[in-house]
Amino acid sequence: DCPDRASSVKWTYVGEPRTRAAAMRRANGKCELCGEPGFKQSNGKRYLESHHIIALADQGSDQMTNVIALCPNHHREAHFGERGEELEKEMILKLSTIERISGPTTLL
């Protein structure tokens, strides 16, 4: 007996890789929400995930003012947690503070 199968189509919005890379450089290995370092990868670098605060699918921009580097726990919570809306507000506030203190981040 074979298990039932279903076919599906999924659309994914792809952000600019340079924006993602610039957010990672800005974060310098630490979650921009909680400040904790990402776990160390086998190559010695810290692991973080980039996140569009306002999703591209919801007309969010692919600019540094909308992309934040998060630890995996906060990234999953932002997408699936009950505090999603609260985290969105916290992330917007954090990024506005970072940009005000350090100035705009370059993409190169």
Side-chain angles (χ1 to χ4, degrees):
D1 252 347
C2 290
D4 290 337
R5 297 187 314 168
S7 175
S8 69
V9 175
K10 178 180 178 182
W11 292 96
T12 303
Y13 290 82
V14 179
E16 169 62 49
R18 292 183 311 154
T19 305
R20 183 178 314 113
M24 295 301 173
R25 282 193 307 275
R26 181 183 64 204
N28 196 27
K30 293 183 179 177
C31 176
E32 291 185 297
L33 189 59
C34 69
E36 291 296 316
F39 63 81
K40 195 177 273 191
Q41 301 177 80
S42 59
N43 64 7
K45 294 182 180 180
R46 295 287 176 175
Y47 180 83
L48 295 172
E49 299 174 352
S50 63
H51 175 71
H52 287 86
I53 298 170
I54 308 299
L56 296 176
D58 294 330
Q59 310 309 309
S61 71
D62 198 22
Q63 303 294 317
M64 292 301 297
T65 53
N66 188 45
V67 178
I68 191 167
L70 299 174
C71 62
N73 283 342
H74 276 123
H75 193 205
R76 294 294 95 199
E77 186 177 15
H79 282 286
F80 304 111
E82 65 183 1
R83 294 185 330 121
E85 288 181 24
E86 179 184 330
L87 286 177
E88 183 177 293
K89 291 174 185 170
E90 286 180 36
M91 288 185 278
I92 290 169
L93 181 61
K94 284 279 189 179
L95 273 192
S96 68
T97 302
I98 290 168
E99 291 289 316
R100 192 169 52 251
I101 292 170
S102 64
T105 305
T106 60
L107 295 181
L108 299 177

